[in-house]
Amino acid sequence: GQNIDQPTEMTATEGAIVQINCTYQTSGFNGLFWYQQHAGEAPTFLSYNVLDGLEEKGRFSSFLSRSKGYSYLLLKELQMKDSASYLCAVRDGDYKLSFGAGTTVTVRA
Amino acid sequence: DAGITQSPRHKVTETGTPVTLRCHQTENHRYMYWYRQDPGHGLRLIHYSYGVKDTDKGEVSDGYSVSRSKTEDFLLTLESATSSQTSVYFCAISESAGQTNSPLHFGNGTRLTVT
């Protein structure tokens, strides 16, 4: 099975930067995904990393270190609409995507 | 947005009754998944399908069965509902698997309450 850990909650101020860490253990790594989920809604795809390094997409960036079993999601220039849960997920083998419990980010004015 | 429809969106049922949730996709994607989401546990995989009539168990499959007779439909059945199966159920689809940038796209979820 999977062991995916991420912090439960984080709070930050509008306009600031927040970094959400994710550590994982897996036997057959085939990529790491980040999802955003607003309360009462479905998760939506943010980013994918399969090689080491940083992937940047606008205000969001995601980093992966396979040797350390570590990823982070960086949210820059925080906006109120970024208040949501952020889910780290690892593809183990061909099909299964296993999720961490999620990090709830609250953005304060 | 990916064309995924879950039905019903909300359901209240009694302990011991069978319940079937439906997931319908219009994307012709090969892979389909059922997850449940509970506070403190995140999304947990119940069953998945890698083709018509090809299904396999996930990490929390006890008490659940699935069927996929057509590419577009993936059904989740609770044989005899229990209160522990009160949850939000999400269906997801993906175009490909393995080491590909092929994310899961989720339906809007079904909120099931077992009384």
Side-chain angles (χ1 to χ4, degrees):
Chain A
Q2 295 292 316
N3 191 9
I4 301 171
D5 291 316
Q6 50 182 129
T8 304
E9 294 179 341
M10 301 182 76
T11 301
T13 305
E14 198 173 14
I17 298 173
V18 70
Q19 177 175 315
I20 305 169
N21 296 324
C22 172
T23 59
Y24 64 89
Q25 294 174 318
T26 180
S27 53
F29 180 82
N30 261 338
L32 187 142
F33 296 79
W34 283 96
Y35 281 80
Q36 181 190 59
Q37 185 177 25
H38 285 102
E41 298 183 6
T44 56
F45 169 69
L46 287 178
S47 68
Y48 170 73
N49 295 71
V50 68
L51 300 177
D52 290 351
L54 188 67
E55 295 282 342
E56 297 188 82
K57 255 190 199 181
R59 295 189 297 114
F60 293 180
S61 303
S62 56
F63 171 83
L64 175 67
S65 168
R66 288 171 298 169
S67 62
K68 295 182 179 177
Y70 168 70
S71 173
Y72 67 73
L73 179 70
L74 197 69
L75 286 60
K76 293 176 277 190
E77 299 170 18
L78 278 173
Q79 302 175 10
M80 299 300 288
K81 67 178 182 179
D82 297 329
S83 291
S85 284
Y86 292 85
L87 314 177
C88 174
V90 173
R91 179 174 277 147
D92 180 8
D94 282 341
Y95 310 118
K96 298 180 185 180
L97 198 61
S98 297
F99 286 79
T103 299
T104 299
V105 172
T106 302
V107 181
R108 298 178 304 190
Chain B
D1 289 345
I4 311 169
T5 304
Q6 291 186 231
S7 58
R9 293 295 315 278
H10 301 271
K11 185 169 181 66
V12 180
T13 192
E14 292 184 350
T15 299
T17 60
V19 177
T20 295
L21 309 183
R22 181 182 183 232
C23 179
H24 178 78
Q25 60 142 329
T26 58
E27 305 296 322
N28 200 35
H29 284 355
R30 178 178 173 184
Y31 303 92
M32 298 186 75
Y33 307 79
W34 277 107
Y35 286 86
R36 60 177 289 176
Q37 187 172 38
D38 305 286
H41 290 281
L43 286 156
R44 292 181 290 175
L45 182 64
I46 305 171
H47 281 279
Y48 63 97
S49 170
Y50 45 95
V52 174
K53 292 187 169 36
D54 291 323
T55 65
D56 206 348
K57 296 179 180 180
E59 59 180 308
V60 290
S61 60
D62 286 350
Y64 301 95
S65 62
V66 290
S67 67
R68 191 165 177 205
S69 59
K70 299 185 288 185
T71 298
E72 57 266 35
D73 289 327
F74 193 31
L75 304 180
L76 176 71
T77 297
L78 289 65
E79 306 291 346
S80 176
T82 68
S83 59
S84 66
Q85 293 176 312
T86 292
S87 187
V88 179
Y89 291 85
F90 284 101
C91 172
I93 66 174
S94 68
E95 187 172 11
S96 57
Q99 199 172 91
T100 64
N101 181 7
S102 179
L104 268 61
H105 297 284
F106 287 85
N108 287 325
T110 294
R111 184 172 295 275
L112 176 68
T113 302
V114 183
T115 61

